[in-house]
Amino acid sequence: MGNQANSRQKRSTSESTVEVHSVMVECTVTSRFAHTVMTSTALNKANSSQEIFFEVELPKTAFITNFSMEIEGKVYVGEVKEKEKAKKQYEKAVSTGQTAGLVKASGRKMEKFSVHVNIAAESNVTFILTYEELLQRKLGHYEILTRVKPNTVIQQFQILTNIYEPQGLSYVDAKATFLSNELLPLVEKTVTDKKAHISFSPTPEQQRKCPGCDGTLIEGDFIIEYDVKRDKRLGEIQIVNGYFVHFFAPPDLHRVPKNVVFIIDRSGSMYGNKIKQTREAMLAILQDLHQEDYFAVILFDNVVNCWKESLTKATKENVAEAMEYVKGIRDEGTTNINSAMLRGINMLVQDRQDNHLPEKSMDMIILLTDGMPNDGESNIQKIQQNVREAMGGNMTLFCLGFGNDVDYNFLDVMSKENKGLARRIFEASDAALQLQGFYDEVSSPLLLEVDLKYPDNQVDSLTTRHFNQLFNGSEIVVAGRLMDNDLDNFLVEVFGQGATVSDWDVLYPDEEYIFGDFTERLWAYLTIQQLLEKSKSGEPDEKANATAKALDMSLQYNFVTPLTSMVVTKPETEDATASPLIADKLTEGKTQQNMDGDPHFMIELPNRNDALCFNINDTPGTIFNLVRDSISGILVNGQIIGDKKIPPDGKINTYFWKFGIIHQIFGVKLEITTQEILVLQDVHYNPLLTFLCSVDLLVTKDGKLTVTLKDSVKFIILLHKVWKKHPYHRDYLGIYTVDTHLLSPSVHGLLGQFYHGIDFEVTNLHPGEDPEKPDATMFVKGQEINVTRGWQRDFRRNWKGENVPCWFVHNNGLGLIDGVEADYIVSDLFTAV
């Protein structure tokens, strides 16, 4: 968590006048249910009012339950409302000119909550955010993750965690990504049989990167891992305040053999790192197969290819042969998910009919894809139906969606309709490890078709009691309401392929270590999560009922879920009336829209070691003037082209595909497209002699064309090749300019106007919609505009491109460019404005 602050006064370059006095993260865990309170106090030391920002990150699996601000003794508390009602309140505020802004954004494991408020001179504000979650057991442990980014040295900084587990603690470990040898001893950990206390409270001097500087070492993830003791009994039931929770994770069970079909997307969109990381992960996964497992490998694009026509026992020799096959995976073709899935399902069905597979074993399919189905059957509802009917409830489907272009909701529903789940694999250097990590979670089934039965006359309002499988290192959790608090015994029966057991003892946790009605809130949390899952698939009436009940419970228990929003009303100030901010819960299927459209413009400013960038979006076929210098006779125009067809998201990308360059003094014209370079000559000049004397062309094998105009600039034009059978995207061109100082001061155009520099000033840095890209205010050309700190790709030195930080100007560069983008449209490739 962290605080950021900046004054809205123009051209303020003084030191920060906001002092973050304290940051405290206090987490209480009782029986896996975590209740976390983040508190921060900041002081406005300035002699005028200014905005102060509160910004924290919390786990995606958590629900916000409360947010409040205390300002000058008055407390402003957030209110959970139905999402549609909150949205109407937000839109009303916007329409009346009030400052209303969304305060949620999503990352890989975490979500960001940020809010800002105007604080009077020499006043302070205290922010308090509360969230709750049921910790999930994965790979044999529970994890409490706290992300801290204070951005400065804090007078009072503390992370405090108290854990109480009535079953007893088997181990507790605390670590952090920022812990140095000097900071490590500051982590205090006390563990007894059932309780653990972990604290981390560095002093201001211990936080500093160097003596006397404001930079802080405290930035990253503070992680606590733990597990509980598990004896020969097959579970633990705990009862508090009329609700029970049953934890079921039996030790010492033998794994169930599995029959797994890996279905791997090798279409053209998987080119580059994706296919490389997929190969790397598959090689590791194949090596982890147990000898009693059976497996198959299917590769698909528009064509489906099988390593073998039936599943193969995972002997050492067979695994080695499959690894050689996987090493040869190459990207090509379009994406026919339907045919690949049906081939894999039919393979399992046929092998079952032929008694080729062990009777007591688990059938599963793991699908990895990065895109939309665009070959063969492309209707996603029809594909889901085909898969559901072919599987017939007899096998489990796990779907891995690689990157942000995949239709995650499609995969999520399809997997949940077939006893499985979906997971997004983020495009990053650790993608192969993400793939392996997911496989590790599901690679060792212990029990199949698990049913838990409780006394009908003693309990009601039970959460899900049937589970398709229990994997090694995980845990089944069931909660419910008791009809009779005076229980002499609590008979529970568990049925599953692999075990049947009954007669549990009941634990009553010590009252002094529990917080409030934690079992009831745990039950509500679990019920809402399961209702939200039911609302995604099934019959329309079932989905509607699940949604309605989840909304009702979210409001009752004050949880911010995908169906609700928290409305935070900011106090009135001299400049504005009270206005609402809306905190939403994002789902994995909803990703932030990237601001990077096409074409990209990047203005490098070497003297400031900085850059400006903006996008121009217009209809395909539009021609823009990029450079126009009447003194030196240089003219450059560019034409944009659109995608081959409208992509599923409805957003057509545009690209530069053709440039016209004129050297008017020598009468030379160049037409450069993604396919050819044409040299055109004015009839008044000796063509060959004039061209040789005035223009130098250098083409390199990596798709780079350098055009050097005599006594003037160089233009570097890069060809970006896209897989030729890509269903949407095309090859496109990028242009860079060198030696711009050789052009006259009167040079203009979308690019040319910046060749001799530009004066601007950036202030008021504050959190933006994207957690990685803060917003700011830019003063340029006598105007004040909103900008975002982002990145553009520079491909001059490396075909993969390098990320160059820049200030991104929105709305087609409005306020940065002279006039508007329409002023730069020309009628012909060789026509000046």
Side-chain angles (χ1 to χ4, degrees):
M1 67 181 297
N3 277 88
Q4 299 182 32
N6 280 283
S7 170
R8 288 198 183 276
Q9 299 170 354
K10 293 185 178 181
R11 304 183 185 276
S12 172
T13 57
S14 61
E15 292 183 17
S16 172
T17 52
V18 172
E19 177 185 285
V20 183
H21 180 69
S22 67
V23 170
M24 173 116 178
V25 184
E26 186 170 5
C27 178
T28 304
V29 181
T30 300
S31 300
R32 289 75 144 175
F33 196 64
H35 175 92
T36 303
V37 181
M38 293 180 160
T39 307
S40 181
T41 300
L43 170 68
N44 175 15
K45 298 190 296 183
N47 55 12
S48 61
S49 65
Q50 64 177 325
E51 297 277 89
I52 292 182
F53 295 85
F54 174 71
E55 179 181 291
V56 301
E57 294 189 55
L58 58 147
K60 283 184 176 182
T61 50
F63 289 157
I64 292 174
T65 62
N66 190 39
F67 174 70
S68 62
M69 301 180 291
E70 183 175 345
I71 305 169
E72 297 180 353
K74 187 173 181 180
V75 178
Y76 302 84
V77 180
E79 181 183 0
V80 176
K81 293 186 176 183
E82 182 179 351
K83 178 164 284 188
E84 286 305 310
K85 292 181 180 178
K87 185 179 178 183
K88 288 178 182 177
Q89 184 175 350
Y90 169 79
E91 290 172 345
K92 181 180 178 182
V94 172
S95 66
T96 57
Q98 299 174 18
T99 306
L102 294 175
V103 292
K104 287 292 282 148
S106 184
R108 184 188 288 193
K109 273 189 174 182
M110 311 292 282
E111 294 175 339
K112 179 174 287 189
F113 175 95
S114 61
V115 66
H116 57 92
V117 63
N118 195 284
I119 299 299
E122 299 181 356
S123 296
N124 59 34
V125 56
T126 298
F127 301 98
I128 304 173
L129 178 75
T130 305
Y131 62 85
E132 295 177 336
E133 66 173 325
L134 177 63
L135 302 178
Q136 299 175 17
R137 188 170 186 254
K138 292 183 179 179
L139 301 174
H141 66 263
Y142 308 95
E143 179 182 275
I144 306 166
L145 192 157
T146 304
R147 182 160 293 170
V148 287
K149 292 183 179 179
N151 299 323
T152 187
V153 172
I154 308 297
Q155 292 302 308
Q156 296 179 10
F157 179 90
Q158 185 177 46
I159 298 174
L160 181 64
T161 302
N162 287 295
I163 302 170
Y164 170 58
E165 289 290 352
Q167 281 179 249
L169 293 163
S170 62
Y171 84 96
V172 179
D173 185 33
K175 55 188 177 182
T177 56
F178 52 80
L179 282 183
S180 61
N181 291 334
E182 291 75 24
L183 291 175
L184 190 59
L186 302 180
V187 179
E188 298 181 1
K189 183 176 71 172
T190 305
V191 182
T192 59
D193 181 37
K194 299 179 181 180
K195 293 178 290 180
H197 174 87
I198 301 99
S199 66
F200 176 63
S201 307
T203 65
E205 290 308 310
Q206 291 167 332
Q207 296 170 43
R208 296 185 197 279
K209 283 186 176 179
C210 55
C213 64
D214 290 333
T216 177
L217 295 167
I218 313 301
E219 181 173 342
D221 294 340
F222 190 86
I223 302 166
I224 297 172
E225 293 179 356
Y226 78 91
D227 199 14
V228 300
K229 294 177 181 177
R230 304 177 193 278
D231 55 25
K232 295 301 181 183
R233 293 177 301 171
L234 297 188
E236 201 79 63
I237 293 175
Q238 299 176 20
I239 294 177
V240 177
N241 296 340
Y243 286 82
F244 80 91
V245 58
H246 177 196
F247 299 104
F248 180 69
D252 305 325
L253 283 179
H254 296 293
R255 62 181 301 279
V256 177
K258 64 179 179 295
N259 314 306
V260 54
V261 179
F262 299 99
I263 301 180
I264 310 298
D265 184 346
R266 61 162 183 207
S267 61
S269 56
M270 287 283 290
Y271 73 93
N273 274 340
K274 287 184 188 175
I275 205 72
K276 178 183 175 184
Q277 291 170 325
T278 299
R279 283 196 302 265
E280 180 184 338
M282 278 301 302
L283 291 173
I285 287 170
L286 289 172
Q287 286 182 307
D288 285 342
L289 287 169
H290 293 262
Q291 288 216 358
E292 65 269 26
D293 292 337
Y294 282 72
F295 74 104
V297 180
I298 294 178
L299 308 179
F300 75 95
D301 41 53
N302 53 308
V303 176
V304 179
N305 293 117
C306 304
W307 170 54
K308 292 184 184 297
E309 292 303 317
S310 63
L311 280 85
T312 305
K313 197 163 195 257
T315 63
K316 188 175 181 180
E317 295 75 20
N318 288 336
V319 167
E321 184 182 339
M323 289 174 68
E324 290 302 314
Y325 180 74
V326 165
K327 289 176 184 177
I329 298 177
R330 297 291 182 269
D331 52 275
E332 55 183 317
T334 48
T335 310
N336 191 336
I337 293 177
N338 187 70
S339 294
M341 283 297 301
L342 295 182
R343 177 73 69 87
I345 296 168
N346 291 337
M347 189 181 290
L348 276 166
V349 170
Q350 190 62 49
D351 281 357
R352 275 288 177 196
Q353 291 175 351
D354 296 342
N355 295 319
H356 179 60
L357 304 174
E359 182 181 352
K360 291 185 177 180
S361 58
M362 176 183 177
D363 296 344
M364 68 167 72
I365 289 177
I366 298 179
L367 167 68
L368 170 66
T369 182
D370 77 327
M372 291 282 292
N374 53 39
D375 196 289
E377 180 60 68
S378 58
N379 183 294
I380 59 176
Q381 286 81 19
K382 182 62 176 175
I383 295 172
Q384 289 168 341
Q385 179 185 342
N386 292 344
V387 169
R388 185 172 62 249
E389 291 176 354
M391 284 192 157
N394 298 317
M395 52 191 80
T396 301
L397 172 62
F398 298 109
C399 294
L400 301 176
F402 207 142
N404 288 322
D405 294 333
V406 71
D407 187 336
Y408 185 84
N409 287 331
F410 158 57
L411 299 179
D412 189 40
V413 171
M414 188 164 67
S415 60
K416 288 189 169 68
E417 287 181 340
N418 296 283
K419 302 184 179 182
L421 56 90
R423 181 77 56 83
R424 189 187 297 279
I425 303 299
F426 292 85
E427 288 189 62
S429 58
D430 68 341
L433 293 177
Q434 294 177 57
L435 290 167
Q436 293 172 51
F438 175 82
Y439 175 76
D440 288 344
E441 290 180 35
V442 301
S443 63
S444 297
L446 300 178
L447 290 175
L448 306 179
E449 306 304 333
V450 184
D451 285 291
L452 298 95
K453 187 177 180 181
Y454 303 89
D456 291 335
N457 60 344
Q458 292 181 320
V459 300
D460 66 1
S461 303
L462 287 169
T463 58
T464 298
R465 291 177 290 170
H466 175 80
F467 298 85
N468 298 308
Q469 61 280 123
L470 171 69
F471 293 103
N472 187 36
S474 67
E475 181 176 60
I476 285 174
V477 183
V478 179
R481 187 163 48 199
L482 296 174
M483 299 167 64
D484 183 1
N485 286 333
D486 299 322
L487 294 178
D488 295 326
N489 57 61
F490 195 79
L491 181 66
V492 180
E493 296 176 290
V494 178
F495 305 91
Q497 293 181 23
T500 298
V501 69
S502 60
D503 194 12
W504 254 260
D505 290 333
V506 174
L507 279 178
Y508 292 88
D510 297 339
E511 291 287 339
E512 61 180 299
Y513 299 125
I514 64 174
F515 58 90
D517 51 356
F518 93 91
T519 43
E520 182 178 353
R521 296 191 65 80
L522 185 157
W523 164 80
Y525 173 97
L526 200 55
T527 300
I528 292 169
Q529 291 277 31
Q530 292 171 356
L531 286 169
L532 291 171
E533 293 300 332
K534 289 179 182 178
S535 70
K536 296 178 183 177
S537 59
E539 296 301 318
D541 287 349
E542 294 175 350
K543 293 196 288 186
N545 290 338
T547 301
K549 189 173 181 181
L551 171 60
D552 185 57
M553 290 187 66
S554 298
L555 294 170
Q556 179 183 348
Y557 288 93
N558 220 58
F559 284 135
V560 178
T561 71
L563 303 175
T564 56
S565 298
M566 179 167 284
V567 180
V568 182
T569 302
K570 294 166 60 180
E572 293 187 17
T573 66
E574 295 177 2
D575 302 322
T577 58
S579 58
L581 293 165
I582 310 298
D584 285 329
K585 178 73 175 173
L586 299 184
T587 61
E588 190 59 62
K590 295 180 181 178
T591 57
Q592 297 288 325
Q593 287 296 316
N594 194 320
M595 68 181 181
D596 298 329
D598 284 301
H600 307 302
F601 290 86
M602 184 169 65
I603 315 302
E604 288 190 289
L605 304 166
N607 59 324
R608 298 183 62 148
N609 193 30
D610 209 341
L612 306 176
C613 51
F614 60 96
N615 299 335
I616 296 293
N617 298 296
D618 214 304
T619 55
T622 304
I623 302 173
F624 292 103
N625 172 245
L626 306 179
V627 182
R628 182 182 76 255
D629 186 358
S630 57
I631 304 298
S632 60
I634 305 299
L635 178 76
V636 181
N637 292 336
Q639 185 177 35
I640 60 175
I641 193 172
D643 282 332
K644 298 173 186 175
K645 61 181 180 179
I646 300 176
D649 62 5
K651 179 178 178 256
I652 295 183
N653 297 293
T654 56
Y655 321 85
F656 278 120
W657 81 287
K658 183 187 291 186
F659 292 117
I661 300 176
I662 298 180
H663 197 325
Q664 292 173 329
I665 294 176
F666 290 96
V668 174
K669 296 181 180 179
L670 294 175
E671 183 175 311
I672 301 157
T673 74
T674 53
Q675 298 166 336
E676 60 185 357
I677 303 169
L678 298 177
V679 180
L680 309 173
Q681 182 66 48
D682 193 305
V683 295
H684 298 293
Y685 294 85
N686 180 313
L688 179 60
L689 180 61
T690 302
F691 179 75
L692 291 174
C693 294
S694 60
V695 179
D696 178 57
L697 300 180
L698 175 64
V699 181
T700 56
K701 64 180 181 180
D702 58 352
K704 180 190 295 184
L705 167 66
T706 303
V707 180
T708 305
L709 304 180
K710 185 182 180 183
D711 300 327
S712 191
V713 296
K714 290 181 182 178
F715 294 106
I716 298 173
I717 297 172
L718 301 181
L719 171 62
H720 297 275
K721 296 287 289 183
V722 176
W723 175 58
K724 62 182 179 181
K725 293 183 180 179
H726 195 288
Y728 311 115
H729 305 327
R730 303 176 187 265
D731 294 352
Y732 64 97
L733 301 174
I735 187 167
Y736 301 85
T737 318
V738 182
D739 296 333
T740 56
H741 64 281
L742 296 175
L743 292 170
S744 76
S746 64
V747 65
H748 208 265
L750 275 173
L751 285 175
Q753 63 189 292
F754 303 107
Y755 282 168
H756 294 294
I758 182 172
D759 291 327
F760 68 93
E761 188 171 327
V762 176
T763 64
N764 187 31
L765 187 69
H766 58 275
E769 287 188 17
D770 188 320
E772 303 296 330
K773 298 176 181 179
D775 285 351
T777 300
M778 176 179 287
F779 301 97
V780 60
K781 295 184 177 180
Q783 300 186 67
E784 180 178 321
I785 58 176
N786 182 62
V787 294
T788 299
R789 191 59 169 174
W791 298 269
Q792 290 283 48
R793 303 288 280 174
D794 185 339
F795 295 92
R796 284 175 296 176
R797 302 174 186 85
N798 188 326
W799 68 271
K800 294 181 179 179
E802 299 174 353
N803 275 333
V804 176
C806 66
W807 292 108
F808 183 85
V809 180
H810 303 269
N811 302 319
N812 288 334
L814 187 65
L816 175 66
I817 64 173
D818 293 335
V820 296
E821 52 96 12
D823 298 336
Y824 299 86
I825 295 176
V826 294
S827 59
D828 185 81
L829 202 61
F830 298 108
T831 299
V833 176

